[in-house]
Amino acid sequence: MLRRSGAAYDSGMNDEGAPIPADDHTESHDQKVPEAWSNFMREGWDDREAEVPEHPITPWAAARRSRLAEIFPGERLVVPAGTYKTRANDTDYRFRADTAHVHLTGNQTSDAVVVIEPDGSSVLYARPRSGRDTDEFFRDRQYGALWAGARPSARELSDSLGMEVRHVDQLDSALAGNTPTRVLRGVSSEVDKLVAPSDDAAWDGEFAKTLSELRLIKDEWELKELQEACDITVRGFTDAVREWDQVLKHGERWIEGTFYRRARAEGNDLGYDSIVGGGSHATTLHWIDNNGPIVPGEMVLLDMGVEGNNLYTADITRTLPISGKFTSLQRNLYELVYNAQQTAIEAIRPGVTFRAGHFAAMEVIAHGLNDLGLLPVSVDEALSEDNKTYSRWTLHGVSHMLGLDVHDCASASPEAYVEGPIQEGMVLTVEPGLYFQKEDKLVPEELRGIGIRIEDDIVVTKDGSINLSAGLPRTADDVEAWMGQHL
């Protein structure tokens, strides 16, 4: 069962004979707890704190907080981790801390808030585990150690993250006063209530934008984490092909489940819901139902990524021939997409615009569509910004930033991101695609229902780029050889 998110009155009574209140995170169907049981549960526990080594992120996170303080001198900055989200009734989704909070602290515990004071000092207000002098540890479904697992103590968090840690109950008083305060809003409703919004409508929006822009350039530690996520993802793709007999029997869901096993075994989770599109499902860009068959003679589009234990994610797509070999038509279309992707990758280097790779790929795609006799106008006209008719069959942009979020840095300003220059240390996807809908009467029947996308994760270097996901084959010949090796 997932963890409790809301609260209902417990069927038990407290020492005064009143119902136990909702904020104890208990349920109406929980057992009554007599005083004798409660007292007995508080006795005889070995409750020592562990010796915790410093987390490798500590110096990197400290540098990020210092940089943020420099950008907003004289102001208090508040970034919450968030709390549990309800899945249904009394069950929660597994907690995942807010991206900006993790970037600044490395903390992954729920309900925590990092506060950077005007003098540049930082405090993490957290909810550590309770002592055994209350009922929380054996009664609270959301925070109790016997229900949800032991949370770290304040000292353990401090030793790990290299920060002063105080109980989150002290946050209210810490945020009192007239110090100019910016809050990353929309993450925690409780934190949002503690600081009244500024009269300046752009006040907190500017803060959210800056937090995104701090992640545009990845440091050395982040690049290592992204490489690890890509490497695990490659192994997850390979797992799926090794189980191809079961894939053919059970369909898309077998691939989804097989990849998820690898993500949980070596990483934290999936970076996003896996897209497993067999046959015409590949033409739905975000197909996540994954409930269709895998049919020999067709292709399957796999867009999947592992989120590592420090929450950096990969985002890789391959389109595979289900029989292990491309048909002549499939190969021709696949090579068109591959050539578009390779052209885009070669266009990526410091100083060019973020959209340079997209424009390079689209020129290849447009010429290919023209060779297929599909464009209603000339290639030049189709490629013009006031026409773009070629987009009927490709639909999306070629790149987005990648990092702690699969679509990282989403609140960054256009000038710093989509309209800005590419810089060394940026990590972005390159993922052109072709999608011929099965209902599309403007394409020959043999093309209908075919979808192809190839996606890799690229880090920009001083002289060009490096493909972090190069461990997974891309060319048609290499894909066939790789499948032949593992089928």
Side-chain angles (χ1 to χ4, degrees):
M1 175 181 284
L2 298 178
R3 285 170 289 196
R4 171 71 179 136
S5 63
Y9 281 99
D10 189 277
S11 57
M13 301 291 178
N14 63 17
D15 292 344
E16 289 72 44
I20 291 177
D23 58 8
D24 280 344
H25 303 99
T26 53
E27 285 297 327
S28 59
H29 55 264
D30 284 348
Q31 299 184 71
K32 293 181 179 180
V33 179
E35 184 177 357
W37 180 16
S38 176
N39 290 337
F40 188 60
M41 286 299 293
R42 302 184 191 195
E43 299 176 359
W45 300 101
D46 184 358
D47 197 24
R48 289 175 294 182
E49 292 182 301
E51 295 300 319
V52 180
E54 184 177 270
H55 194 293
I57 198 177
T58 296
W60 303 98
R64 296 165 195 162
R65 295 193 301 273
S66 294
R67 174 64 182 133
L68 193 62
E70 292 172 359
I71 296 172
F72 297 101
E75 298 176 10
R76 177 182 288 140
L77 310 173
V78 181
V79 182
T83 192
Y84 298 102
K85 292 180 174 63
T86 303
R87 181 180 184 273
N89 188 27
D90 62 350
T91 60
D92 288 343
Y93 290 104
R94 183 182 290 115
F95 177 72
R96 199 276 196 186
D98 176 77
T99 289
H101 180 91
V102 174
H103 188 247
L104 294 173
T105 66
N107 171 64
Q108 294 188 39
T109 65
S110 72
D111 303 284
V113 183
V114 62
V115 177
I116 303 173
E117 296 292 350
D119 64 2
S121 64
S122 302
V123 176
L124 181 69
Y125 293 86
R127 176 158 186 161
R129 66 173 176 266
S130 64
R132 302 300 173 105
D133 56 347
T134 72
D135 286 1
E136 179 182 289
F137 77 98
F138 78 98
R139 300 200 64 193
D140 192 308
R141 290 167 170 260
Q142 195 167 68
Y143 301 112
L146 302 192
W147 285 91
R151 298 169 70 87
S153 70
R155 184 187 66 76
E156 289 166 349
L157 274 173
S158 180
D159 288 351
S160 173
L161 303 178
M163 301 179 63
E164 180 181 354
V165 176
R166 302 176 189 168
H167 199 287
V168 73
D169 289 349
Q170 301 177 42
L171 180 64
D172 193 350
S173 59
L175 298 184
N178 298 318
T179 302
T181 301
R182 296 183 194 255
V183 179
L184 180 61
R185 296 192 182 271
V187 177
S188 168
S189 60
E190 295 303 314
V191 174
D192 286 349
K193 293 173 187 175
L194 294 179
V195 181
S198 170
D199 292 335
D200 181 354
W203 179 259
D204 288 323
E206 179 72 16
F207 184 44
K209 177 181 73 69
T210 300
L211 286 168
S212 267
E213 291 176 2
L214 279 178
R215 302 198 305 275
L216 284 168
I217 306 296
K218 270 55 180 181
D219 57 40
E220 179 184 341
W221 189 81
E222 291 180 290
L223 294 178
K224 177 183 69 67
E225 291 296 312
L226 285 163
Q227 182 65 73
E228 181 178 18
C230 285
D231 292 344
I232 300 170
T233 298
V234 169
R235 291 193 285 276
F237 272 78
T238 304
D239 291 339
V241 175
R242 284 178 176 148
E243 299 187 8
W244 214 243
D245 57 337
Q246 296 298 316
V247 169
L248 294 174
K249 180 179 179 181
H250 297 286
E252 295 169 353
R253 286 183 176 178
W254 193 270
I255 297 176
E256 177 185 12
T258 299
F259 186 80
Y260 180 68
R261 182 181 66 220
R262 176 67 69 172
R264 287 291 291 155
E266 292 196 55
N268 178 63
D269 209 325
L270 300 171
Y272 52 94
D273 286 332
S274 295
I275 298 169
V276 183
S280 63
H281 288 164
T283 66
T284 300
L285 299 186
H286 289 171
W287 172 259
I288 59 172
D289 288 352
N290 300 340
N291 58 6
I294 298 295
V295 179
E298 298 181 339
M299 292 186 290
V300 57
L301 186 155
L302 307 178
D303 187 336
M304 308 188 294
V306 169
E307 178 185 78
N309 288 314
N310 291 308
L311 307 190
Y312 287 83
T313 185
D315 182 7
I316 304 174
T317 306
R318 292 294 185 268
T319 306
L320 309 179
I322 293 171
S323 298
K325 296 286 186 180
F326 292 102
T327 67
S328 177
L329 174 63
Q330 291 169 352
R331 175 178 280 267
N332 288 339
L333 294 173
Y334 184 94
E335 289 181 342
L336 171 56
V337 176
Y338 171 81
N339 290 335
Q341 190 204 28
Q342 185 60 30
T343 300
I345 291 173
E346 292 170 358
I348 292 172
R349 59 187 182 279
V352 302
T353 65
F354 177 77
R355 290 194 174 105
H358 173 79
F359 293 139
M362 290 306 99
E363 184 162 347
V364 175
I365 292 287
H367 278 91
L369 291 169
N370 187 61
D371 292 342
L372 291 168
L374 299 180
L375 292 184
V377 296
S378 70
V379 171
D380 288 343
E381 186 175 352
L383 286 169
S384 67
E385 285 296 297
D386 59 356
N387 185 284
K388 297 180 67 173
T389 48
Y390 71 89
S391 295
R392 177 185 179 103
W393 299 291
T394 190
L395 294 172
H396 57 79
V398 161
S399 295
H400 58 77
M401 291 296 179
L402 185 70
L404 280 165
D405 286 333
V406 67
H407 294 151
D408 206 18
C409 314
S411 295
S413 68
E415 296 77 17
Y417 185 174
V418 294
E419 295 174 5
I422 287 178
Q423 301 177 60
E424 182 180 357
M426 287 182 169
V427 177
L428 59 153
T429 64
V430 180
E431 50 177 314
L434 272 180
Y435 313 95
F436 300 110
Q437 306 300 322
K438 63 181 180 181
E439 307 90 354
D440 191 344
K441 294 184 177 181
L442 297 187
V443 300
E445 187 172 356
E446 64 268 21
L447 296 183
R448 297 174 195 169
I450 293 178
I452 300 171
R453 182 164 64 252
I454 310 171
E455 177 181 20
D456 285 274
D457 302 338
I458 305 298
V459 56
V460 181
T461 64
K462 180 180 179 181
D463 301 317
S465 66
I466 295 173
N467 185 350
L468 297 176
S469 48
L472 207 57
R474 286 195 299 136
T475 70
D477 286 343
D478 288 346
V479 166
E480 289 181 346
W482 172 70
M483 292 189 72
Q485 178 184 354
H486 297 294
L487 283 178

